[in-house]
Every structure is written in structure tokens, then in C-alpha cells.
Amino acid sequence: MKITRLYTGTDQKSHFEDIELQFGGNQPMLTTAAHAASSAVFRCAPAGLFLERHPAPRRQFLVTLSGSWEIEASNGVKRVFKSGDVMLADDTSGEGHTSRVLGGEPHVFMTVPLAD
């Protein structure tokens, strides 16, 4: 399963990379490796919301449930996340990124802060 990781590079700028979570196991339903999490929160960002440049407050998975938003890494690269997309926010230091809700619908998403 492909997900996008947003991380801080040695240049202190945010960058994107695509990573693959491998499914495995010897059971009817395959799973990925477990990631210890501290909680899960559902959020709703209104249409038109723009968040100025900021680092991620913690390492966390963000799972878009509906709507879409655009994340711009501090190196200038932009990515759009829509329903079903998963991002690992890992840029907890450095210049950070901006976030913008696209279209006329709110962006509904789940955050899963990681314990590690």
C-alpha cells in the first residue's frame, strides 16, 4: 500500500517521498507492521481554510475521508490528498509546510498520532 511521507530533510525543508507499507502474514486478512499510536482524532477543516507554514505537531498518520486538500512542502513541491489517501506527517522540525482545503467542501480526515 503506497502512502506519502512528509519529512524534514537535512536542509531543514519539508520534502515528500512515496513509501510502501507491505502487507504480510499467514492469515486470511493480511496486515502491515503495527505502528504504536496514542489516540485517533477525526477533524473537519472548512472549505477555504489555509494554514500558514508550520511543522507537524507530532509524527502522525493523516487519512483523508472526504474532501481534498493541498499540502505544500517548504521545498515548493505540492501534493493533493483526496478520499482514501494516507500521509505520514513526519516534518516535526524545520520550516514545515502549508495546508489548504481545496474546493467548496470541507476536508474531513482522521489523525493517528504515533507513539514512537
Side-chain angles (χ1 to χ4, degrees), residues 3-115:
I3 69 168
T4 300
R5 177 178 176 234
L6 178 64
Y7 68 97
T8 304
T10 57
D11 59 0
Q12 294 303 302
K13 293 186 181 295
S14 296
H15 302 268
F16 290 109
E17 71 175 340
D18 294 323
I19 60 176
E20 185 82 24
L21 297 181
Q22 297 295 320
F23 288 102
N26 194 10
Q27 52 196 356
M29 188 179 302
L30 301 177
T31 62
T32 66
H35 293 82
S38 59
S39 61
V41 176
F42 295 89
R43 306 182 111 184
C44 181
L49 178 71
F50 176 78
L51 298 176
E52 296 289 341
R53 190 167 309 284
H54 61 284
R58 68 195 73 71
R59 290 188 74 233
Q60 61 187 356
F61 285 114
L62 289 91
V63 182
T64 295
L65 302 172
S66 65
S68 63
W69 69 346
E70 175 186 81
I71 305 297
E72 182 177 352
S74 53
N75 69 353
V77 177
K78 296 178 183 180
R79 294 231 180 147
V80 173
F81 297 89
K82 57 190 180 335
S83 183
D85 289 338
V86 178
M87 183 179 81
L88 171 57
D90 204 6
D91 66 331
T92 58
S93 62
E95 294 181 20
H97 60 276
T98 63
S99 307
R100 176 188 316 274
V101 176
L102 300 176
E105 300 295 323
H107 176 244
V108 178
F109 61 106
M110 178 177 65
T111 63
V112 182
L114 298 177

